[in-house]
Amino acid sequence: MTFWLTALIVWVAAGARVGRVLVKPATTARVAIVVAVSAVALACTVAVPDVALAIDNLLPGGLPPGRLSEGLVVAAWLLFTTATSVVASAAWPVVSRRNLRQIAGGIYGTGLFAAAATASTSFAAGWVVTALAGIFVVVTGLRNLSWTALGRGIAVYVTGTVLVVVLAVGALVRSATGAARSAPGEPGWAWPFWQIAALLIAFGAVWIVVEMWVRARLLLRRVRTLHKVLVERFPEVVQEETGTATQLKASDRVAQIMDALYLQSGGGVEIATAGEPPAGVAERAGRVAQWTRHPLGPAVVDSRWIAPPEGISPRGWVQAIAAAFEAQPETSERAGVAIH
């Protein structure tokens, strides 16, 4: 059951990457990611004992049992590291967009040559190229780690690739020492680790998409009350939303809140009694939130206070205002609705 579940999860990740290519320009790197994750999904599918047995039954008589399914698995993991090497190549400064396609063609050609050698001789050639390409991917990934959504996705993806390299080397060692192979249709001792590697690669491939969706959902929840109050005062800020996707909707809400705050502040008029906004984000957000909830109250704010503080994105600034707004007392909340 775990074999089928792993294959299903990886195929879902591959489908998500296909969807990303359909909505964005199909660059060489994006297509390579689709190929890489699809190759992992193929390897997981062929590794299902029932599927492997069915594939091996297609072989003509006289050939070693289990060779076809095992060869497909080796070829799939070889394709994964080959395609991922294309993505890794794009991250090096010496590679430009102009020559990336030529480099990708050379990498794919090397992978095809290794696959042909694997089919004609032994699986050792495929595992060697898989391990070497995996090392290149790991080194490149470690050079590009950062505490961002993309960086965290790379970290998860690289962790799975490290496991692939270790397992490929392990397969080479077992082949060199003449270790006993698993019976046809039965998973080998290392398949739980291959499944873990596949899941890590799948999660890494879609990490940025999932994280951005989760962050957008959290943003929509946090600014819900603030957005509702401001839109009731200034309905003209809601024109035509750019889309129904969660991330686009979150971006629209942030823009609408900023526009409404700007209109409420007088449309760019500077008020002397407002004073200079403080550098502290919490103090500044608290003042803007108090003024938003009680426009005719003692707090005075102008456009200088509405602009995001230095080093803070509009999303982060709106979330800070929304958090402070929720903490403000609700008495006389609508005292200033009639100002518009």
Side-chain angles (χ1 to χ4, degrees):
M1 182 62 183
T2 58
F3 286 91
W4 286 109
L5 183 59
T6 301
L8 176 62
I9 293 174
V10 182
W11 277 117
V12 169
R17 293 304 312 189
V18 171
R20 194 166 179 82
V21 169
L22 292 177
V23 300
K24 291 193 172 186
T27 62
T28 304
R30 289 196 181 108
V31 173
I33 282 288
V34 172
V35 174
V37 182
S38 299
V40 176
L42 175 62
C44 293
T45 304
V46 177
V48 176
D50 293 338
V51 176
L53 190 59
I55 291 175
D56 290 329
N57 288 334
L58 299 176
L59 280 174
L63 293 178
R67 181 173 178 81
L68 181 56
S69 59
E70 186 177 352
L72 285 175
V73 170
V74 176
W77 285 110
L78 173 61
L79 179 59
F80 156 72
T81 52
T82 300
T84 307
S85 295
V86 174
V87 182
S89 299
W92 288 85
V94 294
V95 179
S96 64
R97 291 186 177 181
R98 181 177 302 178
N99 60 10
L100 179 59
R101 287 190 177 183
Q102 287 76 12
I103 294 174
I107 293 174
Y108 283 127
T110 303
L112 289 175
F113 178 79
T118 299
S120 60
T121 57
S122 66
F123 299 143
W127 288 129
V128 168
V129 177
T130 298
L132 293 176
I135 292 173
F136 171 69
V137 170
V138 171
V139 171
T140 305
L142 293 177
R143 292 181 69 256
N144 292 275
L145 290 181
S146 61
W147 192 247
T148 60
L150 178 59
R152 288 186 285 273
I154 291 174
V156 176
Y157 195 95
V158 167
T159 303
T161 307
V162 169
L163 193 51
V164 170
V165 172
V166 173
L167 292 170
V169 173
L172 280 171
V173 172
R174 288 177 61 85
S175 176
T177 57
R181 297 170 55 186
S182 302
E186 293 184 4
W189 65 274
W191 270 114
F193 301 102
W194 284 112
Q195 289 179 310
I196 294 173
L199 291 174
L200 287 172
I201 291 165
F203 291 148
V206 299
W207 184 279
I208 187 171
V209 178
V210 174
E211 181 174 331
M212 296 303 292
W213 181 86
V214 171
R215 290 171 63 181
R217 292 297 303 176
L218 292 175
L219 173 63
L220 289 173
R221 179 179 298 180
R222 289 168 181 168
V223 305
R224 182 185 304 158
T225 305
L226 177 62
H227 180 265
K228 180 180 179 182
V229 170
L230 289 173
V231 165
E232 287 180 355
R233 294 176 187 172
F234 304 97
E236 63 269 27
V237 300
V238 181
Q239 298 177 357
E240 182 179 356
E241 293 190 340
T242 56
T244 58
T246 302
Q247 296 182 38
L248 295 177
K249 186 179 295 184
S251 298
D252 287 338
R253 296 289 169 85
V254 169
Q256 291 163 8
I257 290 172
M258 292 297 295
D259 289 345
L261 290 174
Y262 183 76
L263 290 175
Q264 183 169 305
S265 69
V269 177
E270 291 190 5
I271 304 174
T273 55
E276 291 291 333
V281 176
E283 181 183 355
R284 185 167 171 176
R287 174 88 167 263
V288 174
Q290 181 184 4
W291 165 79
T292 302
R293 189 177 286 278
H294 310 296
L296 301 181
V300 180
V301 167
D302 60 15
S303 58
R304 294 171 296 174
W305 290 72
I306 301 303
E310 186 176 355
I312 303 296
S313 66
R315 284 196 174 199
W317 177 231
V318 167
Q319 290 188 78
I321 297 173
F325 185 85
E326 294 288 348
Q328 295 288 332
E330 297 185 7
T331 55
S332 304
E333 178 179 340
R334 302 184 181 277
V337 173
I339 67 173
H340 175 60

